Amino acid sequence: MSKKTVAVLFGGQSSEHEVSCVSATTIISNMNHDLYNVIIIGITKEGKWVKVSSVEDIKSGEWVKSKVNAIISPDATQKSVLFIEGNKVTPEKVDVVFPALHGMYGEDGTVQGLLELAKIPYVGCGVLSSAVSMDKLYTKTVVDTLGIRQAKYVPVYKKDLAQIERVVKKVENTLKYPVFIKPSNAGSSRGISKAKNKEELIKGLYLAVEHDRKILVEEGIVGRELECAVLGGNEPRASGVGEIIAAADFYDYDAKYNNNDSKTIIGPDLPGNATEVIREAAVRIFKAVDGYGLSRVDFFVESETGEVVFNEINTLPGFTSISMYPMLWEAKGIGKPQLVEKLIQLALARAEETGGDRNGQ
């Protein structure tokens, strides 16, 4: 059997660039190289696409010096990556793409749209589910239809900040402090802050707007932070539940990736039937956004009531050594090599089932 060619995309222009680099090394290292030829394509912070020689170059950061440009052709008859070095253009056929990209310009449907045009199979959620899930406001709109509780919220737009006092009044009339301020489109807790008063609210709004023109101000939920992994195509299934013990006031980017005191617990003891409620809700939300392949769905369990509250869904969760998604499946007996293989096979199965037409997903 001839090897299939897998192109791994990493880096990107989002605030999660560095996390993506680590995810890519994990994915490539756990890929079956007896079955696949691997092409590595890095996207710099400026948006330049280059051919990368090795995992070692990703780890060292040398990859950004690559002199070979890489372009995924949108021509559906080619299904190729074009490598450009000087005046020489070398096309290379690609069977499947694994986008190890987190956040904007990777997890939001943009790359997925390019791959749909190219009719190249790819790992993970499609254009619609990626775009909807990346946008916290639209995710809330979808989940509102499911009867699953989520935090109360007030939407704020960049133009609204010209009348900041009116925004503050609207928030204070709707929610009680503390509140959380989040960019609607930003991954890995970038730009998120907690406000206990008006001054912190205003500061948080201006921080969030640096990341997105749409902002979400949410009620503060006092409780435990839980995560659940979803895997599959037409019949997705949920993993067990993992708990985040943040080493900070909340699980922001720094607490997640730079603070060794943050911990994760697989299979925590939760009140009542909270574990099953989370698992069932995770699959329902995944289906509601038309998910495919993988997602991590995040929840709170309220301290006082034990009630489950939906937080957000991530359609391309991290694959680092501390990432909850692979850890949750390892606890279910699916190691990283099996997980990577399963995701690639799901991508190929979807393409075969739909004939490359995403509307048949």
Side-chain angles (χ1 to χ4, degrees):
M1 186 177 71
S2 60
K3 288 185 177 183
K4 290 192 179 295
T5 298
V6 180
V8 177
L9 299 182
F10 76 94
Q13 298 177 73
S14 86
S15 55
E16 294 181 86
H17 178 96
E18 288 80 10
V19 182
S20 171
C21 294
V22 181
S23 289
T25 64
T26 305
I27 289 162
I28 296 164
S29 300
N30 284 281
M31 205 173 286
N32 188 336
H33 294 267
D34 292 331
L35 296 178
Y36 305 111
N37 292 314
V38 181
I39 294 172
I40 311 174
I41 300 172
I43 305 170
T44 68
K45 291 180 179 179
E46 296 73 36
K48 183 178 181 180
W49 293 43
V50 296
K51 185 178 184 179
V52 179
S53 300
S54 65
V55 167
E56 287 68 34
D57 281 356
I58 302 176
K59 291 178 178 177
S60 68
E62 286 294 304
W63 68 272
V64 297
K65 299 176 184 176
S66 173
K67 303 296 184 187
V68 184
N69 285 94
I71 297 174
I72 292 180
S73 171
D75 188 331
T77 66
Q78 293 187 359
K79 295 181 173 60
S80 297
V81 177
L82 306 179
F83 292 118
I84 306 169
E85 189 169 11
N87 295 321
K88 185 181 179 184
V89 179
T90 308
E92 194 162 339
K93 291 282 186 183
V94 174
D95 294 297
V96 62
V97 170
F98 200 129
L101 295 164
H102 313 306
M104 294 292 285
Y105 311 115
E107 192 175 349
D108 59 354
T110 49
V111 165
Q112 290 76 12
L114 169 62
L115 297 171
E116 294 284 358
L117 283 173
K119 283 189 161 46
I120 299 173
Y122 57 93
V123 169
C125 290
V127 176
L128 175 70
S129 50
S130 298
V132 168
S133 301
M134 187 71 205
D135 191 304
K136 293 180 177 67
L137 273 174
Y138 278 99
T139 304
K140 282 190 168 289
T141 301
V142 172
V143 175
D144 273 340
T145 68
L146 301 178
I148 294 170
R149 186 185 160 192
Q150 50 189 338
K152 294 176 188 172
Y153 63 99
V154 173
V156 179
Y157 297 86
K158 184 176 183 177
K159 61 181 176 59
D160 298 337
L161 298 188
Q163 300 183 58
I164 192 73
E165 290 297 330
R166 181 180 292 181
V167 172
V168 170
K169 187 176 180 181
K170 184 179 180 182
V171 170
E172 291 182 338
N173 285 344
T174 309
L175 308 173
K176 293 180 180 178
Y177 289 111
V179 296
F180 284 91
I181 306 104
K182 304 177 179 181
S184 189
N185 288 276
S188 209
S189 309
R190 288 289 201 181
I192 294 181
S193 60
K194 182 178 181 179
K196 302 184 188 72
N197 51 52
K198 176 182 176 179
E199 290 71 27
E200 290 179 357
L201 172 61
I202 293 171
K203 183 180 177 182
L205 288 167
Y206 283 116
L207 171 65
V209 84
E210 291 175 13
H211 295 266
D212 190 29
R213 67 179 182 84
K214 288 189 294 185
I215 304 164
L216 201 64
V217 183
E218 286 186 336
E219 68 171 325
I221 301 293
V222 179
R224 298 160 70 176
E225 295 189 47
L226 290 308
E227 300 183 346
C228 184
V230 180
L231 173 68
N234 297 326
E235 295 298 330
R237 61 188 179 117
S239 68
V241 174
E243 182 173 11
I244 302 295
I245 309 294
D249 196 20
F250 63 98
Y251 202 44
D252 62 3
Y253 185 90
D254 193 59
K256 190 176 292 186
Y257 295 110
N258 300 324
N259 193 325
N260 291 330
D261 291 332
S262 289
K263 293 181 175 63
T264 53
I265 299 169
I266 304 299
D269 186 23
L270 298 179
N273 64 341
T275 296
E276 285 310 308
V277 170
I278 287 170
R279 294 182 71 242
E280 181 188 344
V283 171
R284 286 182 64 205
I285 292 165
F286 182 75
K287 288 181 174 180
V289 299
D290 199 26
Y292 188 92
L294 75 163
S295 285
R296 195 195 72 237
V297 192
D298 301 348
F299 299 87
F300 298 105
V301 169
E302 273 193 324
S303 298
E304 280 191 18
T305 65
E307 190 175 350
V308 171
V309 184
F310 167 68
N311 183 20
E312 63 182 28
I313 179 170
N314 294 271
T315 54
L316 271 169
F319 260 82
T320 72
S321 61
I322 62 167
S323 294
M324 188 71 91
Y325 189 86
M327 287 169 61
L328 284 166
W329 286 117
E330 279 182 308
K332 289 288 185 181
I334 302 175
K336 290 189 186 76
Q338 294 168 275
L339 186 57
V340 169
E341 175 63 14
K342 176 70 173 172
L343 291 169
I344 292 171
Q345 290 303 317
L346 280 166
L348 293 168
R350 172 174 54 185
E352 188 174 324
E353 181 183 331
T354 64
D357 176 10
R358 65 188 171 97
N359 293 317
Q361 181 179 311

